[in-house]
Amino acid sequence: MFINGLMLLGIVPGKSAAILNFLVGTMQVVFPTLIILQSNGDPAVIFGAAGLYLFGFTYLYVGILQMTGISGEGLGWFSLFVAVCAVVIGYLQFTLTADPVFGVIWWVWAVLWTLFFLLLGLNKSSLTRMTGWFTVFISHLTGTIPAFLLLLGRYETNNTLAVWVAALAVASLVGAYFLGRKSMRSSAEPGQAASVAPAA
């Protein structure tokens, strides 16, 4: 996620990011399949693993676009489908697994996938840099930090922490919006290109 954010900001070339997208995407398709096959039909285990497919297919799709250079409308509309799924999964985290922090995290991911829908599915290229900054910010808020806490056995979840995560996510979105606008103004100055880098 972090690398793809940097790609949208024009820092990492698309083909360079594609390698990691193929690697991570493959892992997030193979691993949940293995987990589900060994789950003995346990609904909780299946639910916990199934969401990884949404990321896996997204990363693989992004990698293919980066390597082939084809247009991203298909990925954009797929992102809308994934955003809806993420909203549902987030709700189930609150009601089914009593994990409000991951409920909020799934809703933050729903916002990100919605931005990808607007950017790629509806060709709102003015959102490129905003989406890039938001991706960079939440890659740590929703990925790096929770992962380290889980590995250390320090992960906690309650409504208060969920509110903090939500507040940081909103701050990330606002910051990304203003950084994106600033970048757009700079690129539109005389003597500079007015277009933004393509997403894929």
Side-chain angles (χ1 to χ4, degrees):
M1 194 181 296
F2 176 66
I3 296 299
N4 285 326
L6 295 180
M7 178 199 64
L8 287 169
L9 294 173
I11 298 173
V12 175
K15 288 188 176 180
S16 177
I19 299 171
L20 193 58
N21 276 305
F22 281 123
L23 176 62
V24 175
T26 300
M27 290 172 58
Q28 292 187 327
V29 170
V30 173
F31 288 173
T33 300
L34 295 175
I35 292 171
I36 291 172
L37 289 175
Q38 298 174 14
S39 68
N40 294 319
D42 186 335
V45 175
I46 294 173
F47 174 71
L52 291 174
Y53 285 115
L54 299 175
F55 282 96
F57 293 146
T58 299
Y59 285 128
L60 290 175
Y61 207 148
V62 171
I64 291 171
L65 294 183
Q66 290 165 334
M67 293 301 293
T68 62
I70 61 177
S71 62
E73 288 86 355
L75 175 59
W77 284 95
F78 175 71
S79 296
L80 177 61
F81 163 76
V82 176
V84 173
C85 291
V87 170
V88 175
I89 294 173
Y91 172 76
L92 292 175
Q93 293 289 341
F94 280 95
T95 60
L96 189 63
T97 65
D99 189 345
V101 169
F102 256 100
V104 170
I105 286 174
W106 272 103
W107 286 347
V108 174
W109 289 333
V111 173
L112 178 62
W113 269 305
T114 300
L115 286 173
F116 275 106
F117 163 66
L118 296 172
L119 177 61
L120 299 172
L122 300 184
N123 295 310
K124 301 290 186 181
S125 60
S126 60
L127 296 175
T128 301
R129 297 189 70 82
M130 174 187 172
T131 304
W133 282 113
F134 187 60
T135 305
V136 167
F137 293 153
I138 70 163
S139 68
H140 302 299
L141 177 64
T142 67
T144 309
I145 296 173
F148 271 113
L149 291 174
L150 285 166
L151 287 171
L152 294 172
R154 301 286 297 276
Y155 175 78
E156 298 180 13
T157 184
N158 55 58
N159 291 332
T160 300
L161 289 173
V163 169
W164 274 106
V165 173
L168 290 171
V170 170
S172 297
L173 187 62
V174 172
Y177 171 76
F178 283 106
L179 287 170
R181 285 189 58 184
K182 180 179 179 181
S183 299
M184 285 180 61
R185 286 197 299 268
S186 298
S187 65
E189 291 176 357
Q192 296 186 17
S195 61
V196 293

